[in-house]
Amino acid sequence: QVQLVESGGGLVQPGGSLRLSCAASGRAFSSYTMAWFRQAPGKEREFVASITWNGGSTAYADSVKGRFTISRDKTKNTVYLQMNTLKPEDTAVYFCAAGSGRTAVVQYDYWGQGTQVTVSS
């Protein structure tokens, strides 16, 4: 089992920044790909970014490229999502996930509880 706990969400004005954290624990989570997904009201959960734990290879959704950065700190067993130049359309619940895939929801086996990000003036 892998346990994931997100933090760092909140209310921010358009153009602002937030950093989300995902603390991981449990069995062999270091063999997984870690990712962030988001889900806005009335919409499907969508891929945001992913990173391989060991190699650090990253992938991003087109909508966040150049604004968001995913990283991991092996010493703290934590994955981060630095979000800059936030837009109202970034408003969603953000979920941390661990799995074997890159962009598809079904490829991820473990999920955190989610953290709300609201971008509004």
Side-chain angles (χ1 to χ4, degrees), residues 79-99:
V79 176
Y80 302 99
L81 185 69
Q82 178 66 44
M83 305 185 295
N84 298 328
T85 319
L86 282 160
K87 304 175 181 180
E89 51 264 44
D90 294 317
T91 295
V93 177
Y94 283 70
F95 296 90
C96 178

Side-chain angles (χ1 to χ4, degrees), residues 37 44-47 97 102-109 111:
F37 287 77
E44 293 186 354
R45 192 167 298 189
E46 64 174 4
F47 171 78
R102 296 299 290 272
T103 64
V105 171
V106 296
Q107 294 173 314
Y108 288 83
D109 304 307
W111 295 84

Side-chain angles (χ1 to χ4, degrees), residues 12-16 38 62-65 67-68 83-92 94 117-120:
V12 63
Q13 292 186 342
R38 66 186 182 186
D62 288 343
S63 59
V64 306
K65 278 182 182 176
R67 301 189 298 122
F68 291 10
M83 305 185 295
N84 298 328
T85 319
L86 282 160
K87 304 175 181 180
E89 51 264 44
D90 294 317
T91 295
Y94 283 70
V117 172
T118 302
V119 185
S120 175

Side-chain angles (χ1 to χ4, degrees), residues 15-86:
S17 298
L18 278 177
R19 188 178 78 160
L20 306 183
S21 300
C22 173
S25 61
R27 181 180 177 188
F29 68 87
S30 59
S31 66
Y32 290 98
T33 293
M34 304 296 295
W36 288 95
F37 287 77
R38 66 186 182 186
Q39 189 166 18
K43 295 187 177 181
E44 293 186 354
R45 192 167 298 189
E46 64 174 4
F47 171 78
V48 175
S50 66
I51 186 167
T52 57
W53 191 266
N54 289 325
S57 176
T58 60
Y60 294 93
D62 288 343
S63 59
V64 306
K65 278 182 182 176
R67 301 189 298 122
F68 291 10
T69 302
I70 189 171
S71 62
R72 82 269 190 258
D73 185 333
K74 291 184 178 181
T75 65
K76 297 181 179 180
N77 296 338
T78 300
V79 176
Y80 302 99
L81 185 69
Q82 178 66 44
M83 305 185 295
N84 298 328
T85 319
L86 282 160

